[in-house]
Amino acid sequence: MSGVQQALVAGQTNAGVRWRAWGGGLRGSEYSWAIAFTLPYAAVFLAFVAYPVVFGLWLGHSPELYSQLFDDPLYLNTVVNTILYVGIGVNVRMFLAFLISGFFMRREWWVRALFLAFILPWAMPALPTALSFHWLLNGQWGLFDNLLWFLFGVDGPIWLNSRWTALGSNIVAYIWKFMPFWTVIFLAGRMAIPQDLYEAADVDGATGYRRFAHVTFPLLANLYLICTLLSTIFTVGDFTTVYFVSGGGPAMSTDVLATLGIREAFTVGRPELGVAAVMTALPIVIPIVIFLMRKLSTTEVQL
Amino acid sequence: MVRMSRRSVLTSSVGLTVAGLARPHIANAQAKTASVWVNQGFVPQEDAAFKKLAADYMKESGNTLDYSIMPFQAQNQKTIAALASGDVPDLVFMDAPGTILPQNAWNNKIVDVSDVVQPYEHLLTDTAKLASTFYDKTLRKRSYFLCPIKQGATPFHVWGDLVEKAGFKISDVPNTWNARWDFFKPMQKILRAKGMRKIYALGLEVETVGPNDGNNLYIHTMIANGGVGIVTSDGKLHTDDPKVREAAIKTVEYLSTAFKEGFVPPEALSWNDADDNNGFHERLFLVDFDGTISTELAMYSNKDAYNKMVTLGMPHGNDGKPVPCQVNAGGGFIPKGAKNVTVAKDLMKYWMQPKVMGENLKAGLGRWAPAITQIVKDDPWWLDKSDEHRSTYIREAVLEPTTAVFTGYTPAWGQVEAEQILQQSTADVVKNGMTATAAVDKMFKRANDIFARFTFE
Amino acid sequence: MSLALTAGWSNRRRYRVRHALMQSAAILFALVLLIWSLLPIYNMLLMALDKHDDIFSGAIWPPEPTLYSFQIVVTEGFWYLQYFWKQYANSIYVGAATTFFTLLIGSLTSYTVGRLRPPKAWLITNTAMLTYVIPASFLAIPFYRIMSTYGLGNSLWGVVAAYVTFGTPYAIFIFQQYGKSIPMELDESARIDGASPLQIYLRIYLPLMAPALVAVGTYALLLAWNDFLFQFLLLSSEKNMTVPVALAQFFNSDEAPWNYMMATAIVYSIPPVLFYYLFRNKMASGLTMGGVKG
């Protein structure tokens, strides 16, 4: 389509990297297409989101649940753990994923091969990998300490016996599991950056760091922010890792809100308490959700 | 509208089930169908035994059972989801319904099954009856909410050959609680000197992770120290009883001291539910205290290891008096709102017949003991001396003194166990440097807070 | 490199040394990454290759390596695994359906919101976010209820519906973000040329979104592939179950052949890796399409 080619050329000649904002509304017949295209999601939403979320909120509505939660001396601890787990886990991981995605842009064959190994953590089911971590870190038969001994003659500590190393282990396990995922997302994002932008930058004499700061980073910044926020929401709800790696131990000191909630729901048998536990994270989750909503509704492309 | 779609799902799956079972006779059009959730067994024979039972029942009664055998965790979560959302099966059969029954019976969500249990009352063990009784707050009474089929106890598991290797004789094992554990302590040094560098004497489950082991060990140690009165069958907590307090303190002292003195593998603090068994199989320690004989049965096919293990029943308490073993009951319960209560009750009536019960449990290699004493007396297989593991275990669970688990008395206890505050007190002494007294007081306070939420009037 | 150090060197030499250093740094980095990624997996492999007695022996290398566990898995030789291949097929079915629908619905929606831009489009993305207010694991119970209400209890489609519900909002956001880097002029001129929105969607939007489609597709696949909570809850009969539920059986009691479990997990993770491997070229092709030169 020659029109497209012309447009592309036109777009490229704006090498100063400005896109024109699309200023118009829809023309008549396109409106029905819009409706048709959004109908599937609307149906999914109404059928499967509206009721469960409302029901879920209803399950956790009684104030008595919250007074019970706050009574628990471990609750505060759990909140601190959650903040640390989510705060460190998400941010360290995002940052590393971002850097590593740059590494994987390289073309060498061994980089490509490495990538396959790299996504394995993500590809494996969470339950066995978390369990594997749990056993890896065991002081007696764990591979990690045994390797330390074998390679360096160092007797490793019992990682899961102390609150901070256990928390650290949980964080490391979580980063390990999901970093490949975000790396893939960032990689896709990097690949979206048109080659000619880099070439224009080269022409302007920007290399290495300057190239990164002026071309890559601004374009990916939005993506990075959105991913971080989404990941925060996901991590607040993640219980598999903590549950199987440290089990919330030793002595419940590494529980996070999600594991607390699951325990209340399925071990104590009071799902309302479980939902309430996770809902106490809402003061953090809701602002994030609102922020994301606003971010996503801006329609202009900008730098 | 909604009902129709559910029924159509049921009828189609019924059709499939009937076709799948290929019974020679066609299901009576008048007959009814019940949906049953059964937890998966420990060995395939258990599942096969259930399928046979179901088939026999269907033949005899003409009713149809639409059953699903599912892993224990899945069943637990599904049942809780079902009870919370109101969409329940007709019968749920669980080996260990302690997470679900107390709370839901309290909230009037379980069907009273006294009419099923009463005909068998004279045959059931006392603890089976007690463990099947729960309090319904709406009706303000205690009643049978579980039809008990099986019971589980906790024996000691020992590596007999290692005891001999250390120069001791298993027949010398003392018969009082503390002395029994102490017996194994000197063996640690001896065996280490003989090249088993990583071995520990005691596999004390001081963990606060995982549902049972830590709580189990703690409670029995308390009972052995005279603290069985901590919770009475009326659901009241007696932490102000000096005997109970003393027992708790002694428990914490014993467990934490054994740990601090290095007789327990250090990562016991962070074991999960399977790790004590993993450790035992690895010969990481000599003795542990774990529910049922699953530890031995896991080695059933390895006759060499199977025979090296020794199973011991309950010793006497530190005061020399017999210590009852805490025993739970597993069986079938019927959630309220079940569409086919009649068939569900009928099935349980069938299952509770001594002959049926006995046969069904035999297939499980004796991991679960029957709830009816007469079964083990009538059928020599249970107490057959040639299998020392099973006979000791069954004797412990059925014939020797037992007491019911506290979960039946009040839902509060289930929460106490779920919050792991018992072994937390041990951890407080070991890790946080508290004194045993302070740790116990802390634990008692929390227990009282939890119990305060469940008032009985 | 400081000029003092390299004062006497030629530019070329400086470049070569620098290049060599960068290369070795890259290789070192790659090595670290490799070890990092593979260590826990090696642990799983170690356990899978061990005989039952050796699993917790603390060895670094399997003392008596055996493929027995894998054999058991593949031949369905253990009773927990007796329906392994049927469950595998179910997992593939659920995974494929989830991926397909998530990509379809997600891309259609983000196309509309991002390109067609009807008024009040922000409503859609905003309400989509509501899906994430309560973590998925706690929505499991209401989900259980509605699935029975819709007649989807114990059906694989119920599970697919659940995953599509959780995966689509995320897909929409990523597609939207990604789509911002595709110039609107393309749509404009196609429209001038007389193309309908459907044709623009199929011919321009989708091909240019290829890298994002692969990324999100893999995400959707893995969401469905590795979750166990919803599969537990929404499925009952043995023949309907999926592999994660089969894995859960290993927790039936506190005794289990962990080597079989690890072997099962390893065999189970092959399809997603394969999926990614097969489609990764599509990701790279997006590179050339995103910056066509005239």
Side-chain angles (χ1 to χ4, degrees), chain B residues 71-320:
Chain B
F72 173 67
Q73 255 194 357
Q75 187 200 33
N76 189 44
Q77 288 166 344
K78 254 180 114 75
T79 312
I80 291 180
L83 286 164
S85 67
D87 186 27
V88 294
D90 294 310
L91 181 75
V92 180
F93 189 92
M94 284 183 128
D95 290 344
T99 42
I100 297 188
L101 276 180
Q103 187 69 48
N104 285 288
W106 180 274
N107 291 331
N108 192 233
K109 284 191 169 168
I110 312 281
V111 171
D112 188 320
V113 289
S114 309
D115 51 337
V116 181
V117 179
Q118 260 146 19
Y120 296 103
E121 255 185 314
H122 61 290
L123 292 173
L124 290 169
T125 61
D126 286 336
T127 32
K129 288 185 279 197
L130 264 177
S132 308
T133 312
F134 298 90
Y135 183 77
D136 184 326
K137 181 144 181 169
T138 319
L139 302 176
R140 299 238 182 127
K141 63 175 185 139
R142 289 190 178 274
S143 191
Y144 288 119
F145 288 99
L146 176 75
C147 304
I149 297 287
K150 47 177 79 166
Q151 299 201 262
T154 316
F156 284 74
H157 313 272
V158 186
W159 280 113
D161 63 323
L162 290 183
V163 170
E164 316 243 312
K165 189 168 171 184
F168 290 77
K169 289 209 290 232
I170 201 74
S171 48
D172 286 342
V173 168
N175 208 27
T176 50
W177 187 268
N178 280 6
R180 183 177 282 193
W181 291 110
D182 290 338
F183 179 71
F184 296 93
K185 287 183 182 174
M187 298 187 210
Q188 179 169 319
K189 209 153 155 213
I190 300 175
L191 287 172
R192 284 197 179 181
K194 288 197 176 180
M196 299 188 74
R197 288 183 312 108
K198 283 206 233 172
I199 196 161
Y200 288 86
L202 310 175
L204 291 174
E205 295 95 342
V206 293
E207 72 251 25
T208 47
V209 179
N212 302 312
D213 299 333
N215 289 317
N216 209 9
L217 174 67
Y218 195 96
I219 278 297
H220 281 98
T221 314
M222 262 193 78
I223 297 179
N225 282 303
V228 67
I230 181 171
V231 180
T232 40
S233 56
D234 55 358
K236 299 239 165 41
L237 182 68
H238 299 275
T239 50
D240 44 354
D241 180 347
K243 256 179 76 182
V244 167
R245 186 155 180 273
E246 206 190 303
I249 294 177
K250 287 210 181 115
T251 303
V252 172
E253 275 173 354
Y254 189 85
L255 294 176
S256 55
T257 314
F259 187 89
K260 285 201 262 197
E261 288 179 347
F263 290 111
V264 181
E267 54 272 320
L269 270 182
S270 50
W271 275 345
N272 67 20
D273 200 29
D275 285 334
D276 56 339
N277 299 60
N278 294 335
F280 187 79
H281 286 301
E282 213 42 59
R283 287 152 83 83
L284 181 64
F285 45 80
L286 290 163
V287 55
D288 79 351
F289 184 69
D290 192 48
T292 78
I293 45 173
S294 56
T295 320
E296 286 85 346
L297 290 177
M299 299 271 89
Y300 196 65
S301 45
N302 179 351
K303 280 301 173 208
D304 186 42
Y306 190 66
N307 293 328
K308 284 187 185 156
M309 291 189 223
V310 175
T311 313
L312 297 172
M314 292 297 285
H316 290 174
N318 290 331
D319 55 2

Side-chain angles (χ1 to χ4, degrees), chain B residues 5 37 40-44 47 68 71-72 74 77-78 82 85 87 273-274 277-278 281-282 290 294-295 298, chain C residues 52-53 56-57 79-80 141 144-145 148-149 151 229 232-236 238 241 245 249 252-255 258:
Chain B
S5 57
W37 290 354
Q40 197 173 30
F42 170 66
V43 286
D47 284 0
S68 304
F72 173 67
Q77 288 166 344
K78 254 180 114 75
S85 67
D87 186 27
D273 200 29
N277 299 60
N278 294 335
H281 286 301
E282 213 42 59
D290 192 48
S294 56
T295 320
Chain C
H52 186 96
D53 293 335
F56 295 102
S57 60
W79 74 299
Y80 286 158
I141 293 178
Y144 174 77
R145 161 126 225 170
S148 335
T149 315
L229 186 65
F232 266 15
L233 276 185
L234 301 175
L235 300 170
S236 322
E238 282 163 327
M241 289 195 200
V245 184
Q249 292 169 111
N252 264 350
S253 77
D254 41 11
E255 295 284 347
W258 303 111

Side-chain angles (χ1 to χ4, degrees), chain A residues 82 86 174 231-240 258-259 262 278, chain C residues 134-138:
Chain A
T82 312
V86 175
Y174 191 67
S231 174
T232 308
I233 299 180
F234 289 164
T235 310
V236 168
D238 172 74
F239 76 94
T240 315
T259 49
I262 290 288
V278 184
Chain C
I134 301 185
S137 20
F138 296 89

Side-chain angles (χ1 to χ4, degrees), chain A residues 12 22 26 47 51 106 199, chain C residues 23 116 146 150 188 292-293:
Chain A
Q12 274 164 229
W22 179 241
L26 287 177
Y51 175 74
R106 300 173 78 102
E199 277 157 29
Chain C
Q23 275 293 81
L116 296 182
I146 58 175
Y150 295 152
E188 249 186 85
V292 170
K293 283 181 116 104

Side-chain angles (χ1 to χ4, degrees), chain B residues 25-72:
Chain B
H25 75 289
I26 301 167
N28 188 344
Q30 304 280 344
K32 293 186 277 166
T33 309
S35 63
V36 181
W37 290 354
V38 186
N39 72 207
Q40 197 173 30
F42 170 66
V43 286
Q45 294 92 319
E46 281 186 61
D47 284 0
F50 171 72
K51 290 185 185 165
K52 176 173 179 301
L53 189 152
D56 289 343
Y57 172 75
M58 287 193 262
K59 196 146 152 231
E60 235 186 73
S61 68
N63 291 321
T64 322
L65 295 178
D66 175 26
Y67 59 81
S68 304
I69 302 180
M70 47 182 97
F72 173 67

